[in-house]
Amino acid sequence: MNPYTIFADIVAGRAPSSKVYEDDDVVAFMDIRPMTPGHLLVVPKVAARSLAELDPVVGGKLFQVGQRLAAAMRASEVGCDGVNFFLADGVTAGQEVFHVHLHVIPRTPGDGFGLRGRPASPRREDLDYLAASIRGALGN
Ligand code: AMP
């Protein structure tokens, strides 16, 4: 499937971005519709539409760069005292741009960002059942 998105143009320098970081594998730039001020996206240079298509080594790099950016955010004028990582894989998960990317979202008290409440805790046997199912799907 064609992996083209606006992020391919940003990676290639054909579309504008407010860049914060770049190396051989990834680029990080400001989100144009930030959840909170300072919200960044870390994007692999080689496009992958989904986690399943992403080279796991590059996936690890996304997290490493995200860690560095989170530390830089805390030290910068963004002035946050917390950070969330977020990655949407698939339409149902909220993915809008089909070029894998890690959101790095600075947090301050009362900023309004957050996950919605969760249902009551399941029984241990239900946790164990799904754990076994996922273990089985892991294979080797
Ligand atoms: P997601 O829902 O995880 O696919 O998030 C896509 C994100 O990309 C959203 O937060 C958008 O605001 C952001 N976005 C879309 N186009 C651009 C762009 N040209 N430059 C920077 N961020 C963008």
Side-chain angles (χ1 to χ4, degrees), residues 61-139:
K61 191 80 186 278
L62 288 187
F63 196 92
Q64 282 175 24
V65 171
Q67 273 185 292
R68 284 187 64 192
L69 292 171
M73 261 177 190
R74 286 174 181 269
S76 76
E77 289 173 58
V78 169
C80 61
D81 54 11
V83 175
N84 278 119
F85 282 2
F86 177 74
L87 192 153
D89 187 44
V91 173
T92 307
Q95 186 174 6
E96 292 175 352
V97 177
F98 288 86
H99 179 142
V100 170
H101 50 281
L102 178 67
H103 295 258
V104 183
I105 303 169
R107 302 298 310 277
T108 50
D111 62 20
F113 179 79
L115 298 174
R116 280 194 298 263
R118 59 186 102 187
S121 298
R123 295 171 306 162
R124 175 62 59 190
E125 53 261 47
D126 294 333
L127 294 175
D128 287 345
Y129 181 84
L130 290 181
S133 176
I134 296 166
R135 270 200 310 277
L138 267 177

